CSV table of all heavy atoms in Angstrom, one decimal:
chain,number,residue,atom,x,y,z
S,95,TYR,N,-23.7,-6.7,12.5
S,95,TYR,CA,-22.7,-7.0,13.6
S,95,TYR,C,-21.4,-7.5,13.0
S,95,TYR,O,-21.4,-8.4,12.2
S,95,TYR,CB,-23.3,-8.0,14.5
S,95,TYR,CG,-22.6,-8.3,15.8
S,95,TYR,CD1,-22.9,-7.5,16.9
S,95,TYR,CD2,-21.7,-9.3,15.9
S,95,TYR,CE1,-22.3,-7.8,18.1
S,95,TYR,CE2,-21.1,-9.5,17.1
S,95,TYR,CZ,-21.4,-8.8,18.2
S,95,TYR,OH,-20.8,-9.0,19.4
S,96,ILE,N,-20.3,-6.9,13.4
S,96,ILE,CA,-19.0,-7.4,12.9
S,96,ILE,C,-18.1,-7.6,14.1
S,96,ILE,O,-18.3,-6.9,15.1
S,96,ILE,CB,-18.3,-6.4,11.9
S,96,ILE,CG1,-17.9,-5.1,12.5
S,96,ILE,CG2,-19.3,-6.2,10.7
S,96,ILE,CD1,-17.0,-4.2,11.6
S,97,SER,N,-17.2,-8.5,13.9
S,97,SER,CA,-16.3,-8.9,15.0
S,97,SER,C,-14.9,-9.0,14.5
S,97,SER,O,-14.7,-9.4,13.3
S,97,SER,CB,-16.7,-10.2,15.7
S,97,SER,OG,-18.0,-10.1,16.3
S,98,LEU,N,-13.9,-8.8,15.4
S,98,LEU,CA,-12.5,-9.1,15.1
S,98,LEU,C,-12.0,-10.0,16.3
S,98,LEU,O,-12.2,-9.6,17.5
S,98,LEU,CB,-11.6,-7.9,15.1
S,98,LEU,CG,-10.2,-8.2,14.8
S,98,LEU,CD1,-9.9,-8.7,13.4
S,98,LEU,CD2,-9.3,-6.9,15.1
S,99,PHE,N,-11.5,-11.2,15.9
S,99,PHE,CA,-11.0,-12.1,17.0
S,99,PHE,C,-9.5,-12.2,16.8
S,99,PHE,O,-8.9,-12.2,15.7
S,99,PHE,CB,-11.6,-13.5,16.8
S,99,PHE,CG,-13.1,-13.6,16.9
S,99,PHE,CD1,-13.9,-13.6,15.8
S,99,PHE,CD2,-13.6,-13.7,18.2
S,99,PHE,CE1,-15.3,-13.6,16.0
S,99,PHE,CE2,-15.0,-13.7,18.4
S,99,PHE,CZ,-15.8,-13.7,17.2
S,100,ILE,N,-8.8,-12.1,18.0
S,100,ILE,CA,-7.4,-12.2,18.0
S,100,ILE,C,-7.1,-13.4,18.8
S,100,ILE,O,-7.4,-13.5,20.0
S,100,ILE,CB,-6.7,-10.9,18.6
S,100,ILE,CG1,-7.2,-9.7,17.9
S,100,ILE,CG2,-5.2,-11.1,18.6
S,100,ILE,CD1,-6.7,-8.4,18.6
S,101,ARG,N,-6.4,-14.4,18.2
S,101,ARG,CA,-6.0,-15.6,18.9
S,101,ARG,C,-4.6,-15.4,19.5
S,101,ARG,O,-3.8,-14.7,19.0
S,101,ARG,CB,-6.0,-16.8,18.0
S,101,ARG,CG,-7.4,-17.2,17.5
S,101,ARG,CD,-7.3,-18.5,16.7
S,101,ARG,NE,-6.5,-18.3,15.5
S,101,ARG,CZ,-6.9,-17.6,14.4
S,101,ARG,NH1,-8.2,-17.2,14.4
S,101,ARG,NH2,-6.1,-17.5,13.3
S,102,ASP,N,-4.3,-16.1,20.6
S,102,ASP,CA,-3.0,-16.1,21.2
S,102,ASP,C,-2.5,-14.7,21.3
S,102,ASP,O,-1.4,-14.3,20.8
S,102,ASP,CB,-2.0,-17.0,20.4
S,102,ASP,CG,-0.7,-17.1,21.1
S,102,ASP,OD1,-0.6,-17.0,22.3
S,102,ASP,OD2,0.3,-17.3,20.3
S,103,SER,N,-3.3,-13.8,22.0
S,103,SER,CA,-2.9,-12.4,22.1
S,103,SER,C,-1.6,-12.2,22.7
S,103,SER,O,-1.2,-12.9,23.6
S,103,SER,CB,-4.0,-11.7,22.8
S,103,SER,OG,-4.2,-12.2,24.1
S,104,GLN,N,-0.9,-11.2,22.2
S,104,GLN,CA,0.5,-10.8,22.7
S,104,GLN,C,0.5,-9.4,23.2
S,104,GLN,O,-0.4,-8.6,22.8
S,104,GLN,CB,1.4,-10.9,21.5
S,104,GLN,CG,1.4,-12.3,20.8
S,104,GLN,CD,2.0,-13.4,21.7
S,104,GLN,OE1,3.0,-13.2,22.4
S,104,GLN,NE2,1.3,-14.5,21.9
S,105,PRO,N,1.4,-9.1,24.1
S,105,PRO,CA,1.5,-7.7,24.5
S,105,PRO,C,1.6,-6.7,23.4
S,105,PRO,O,1.2,-5.6,23.5
S,105,PRO,CB,2.8,-7.7,25.4
S,105,PRO,CG,2.8,-9.1,25.9
S,105,PRO,CD,2.3,-10.0,24.8
S,106,SER,N,2.2,-7.1,22.3
S,106,SER,CA,2.4,-6.2,21.1
S,106,SER,C,1.0,-6.0,20.4
S,106,SER,O,0.9,-5.1,19.6
S,106,SER,CB,3.3,-6.8,20.1
S,106,SER,OG,2.9,-8.1,19.7
S,107,ASP,N,0.0,-6.7,20.8
S,107,ASP,CA,-1.4,-6.4,20.3
S,107,ASP,C,-2.0,-5.3,21.0
S,107,ASP,O,-3.1,-4.8,20.6
S,107,ASP,CB,-2.3,-7.7,20.4
S,107,ASP,CG,-1.8,-8.8,19.5
S,107,ASP,OD1,-1.2,-8.5,18.4
S,107,ASP,OD2,-1.9,-10.0,19.9
S,108,SER,N,-1.4,-4.8,22.1
S,108,SER,CA,-2.0,-3.7,22.9
S,108,SER,C,-2.0,-2.4,22.0
S,108,SER,O,-1.0,-2.0,21.5
S,108,SER,CB,-1.1,-3.4,24.1
S,108,SER,OG,-1.1,-4.5,25.0
S,109,ALA,N,-3.2,-2.0,21.7
S,109,ALA,CA,-3.5,-0.9,20.8
S,109,ALA,C,-5.0,-0.5,20.9
S,109,ALA,O,-5.7,-1.2,21.6
S,109,ALA,CB,-3.1,-1.3,19.4
S,110,THR,N,-5.3,0.5,20.1
S,110,THR,CA,-6.7,0.8,19.9
S,110,THR,C,-7.2,0.2,18.6
S,110,THR,O,-6.5,0.4,17.6
S,110,THR,CB,-7.0,2.3,19.9
S,110,THR,OG1,-6.7,2.8,21.2
S,110,THR,CG2,-8.5,2.6,19.6
S,111,TYR,N,-8.3,-0.5,18.6
S,111,TYR,CA,-8.8,-1.2,17.4
S,111,TYR,C,-10.1,-0.4,16.9
S,111,TYR,O,-11.0,-0.3,17.7
S,111,TYR,CB,-9.1,-2.6,17.6
S,111,TYR,CG,-7.8,-3.4,17.8
S,111,TYR,CD1,-7.1,-3.4,19.0
S,111,TYR,CD2,-7.2,-4.1,16.8
S,111,TYR,CE1,-5.9,-4.1,19.2
S,111,TYR,CE2,-6.0,-4.8,16.9
S,111,TYR,CZ,-5.4,-4.8,18.2
S,111,TYR,OH,-4.2,-5.4,18.3
S,112,LEU,N,-10.1,0.0,15.7
S,112,LEU,CA,-11.2,0.8,15.1
S,112,LEU,C,-11.9,-0.1,14.1
S,112,LEU,O,-11.2,-0.6,13.2
S,112,LEU,CB,-10.8,2.1,14.5
S,112,LEU,CG,-10.2,3.1,15.4
S,112,LEU,CD1,-8.7,3.1,15.4
S,112,LEU,CD2,-10.6,4.5,15.0
S,113,CYS,N,-13.2,-0.2,14.1
S,113,CYS,CA,-13.9,-0.8,13.0
S,113,CYS,C,-14.3,0.4,12.1
S,113,CYS,O,-14.3,1.5,12.5
S,113,CYS,CB,-15.2,-1.5,13.5
S,113,CYS,SG,-16.4,-0.5,14.3
S,114,ALA,N,-14.5,0.0,10.8
S,114,ALA,CA,-14.9,1.0,9.8
S,114,ALA,C,-15.8,0.3,8.8
S,114,ALA,O,-15.6,-0.9,8.5
S,114,ALA,CB,-13.7,1.7,9.2
S,115,MET,N,-16.6,1.1,8.1
S,115,MET,CA,-17.5,0.6,7.2
S,115,MET,C,-17.7,1.5,6.0
S,115,MET,O,-17.7,2.8,6.2
S,115,MET,CB,-18.9,0.3,7.8
S,115,MET,CG,-18.8,-0.4,9.1
S,115,MET,SD,-20.3,-0.6,10.0
S,115,MET,CE,-19.6,-1.5,11.4
S,116,ILE,N,-17.8,1.0,4.8
S,116,ILE,CA,-18.0,1.8,3.6
S,116,ILE,C,-19.4,1.5,3.1
S,116,ILE,O,-19.8,0.3,2.9
S,116,ILE,CB,-17.0,1.5,2.6
S,116,ILE,CG1,-15.6,1.7,3.1
S,116,ILE,CG2,-17.2,2.4,1.3
S,116,ILE,CD1,-14.5,1.3,2.1
S,117,GLY,N,-20.1,2.6,2.7
S,117,GLY,CA,-21.4,2.4,2.0
S,117,GLY,C,-21.7,3.7,1.3
S,117,GLY,O,-21.6,4.8,1.8
Side-chain angles (χ1 to χ4, degrees):
Chain S
Y95 189 88
I96 68 170
S97 300
L98 178 70
F99 297 97
I100 306 174
R101 291 184 299 281
D102 187 26
S103 57
Q104 303 295 310
S106 58
D107 295 327
S108 298
T110 297
Y111 291 80
L112 298 96
C113 64
M115 309 175 184
I116 302 175

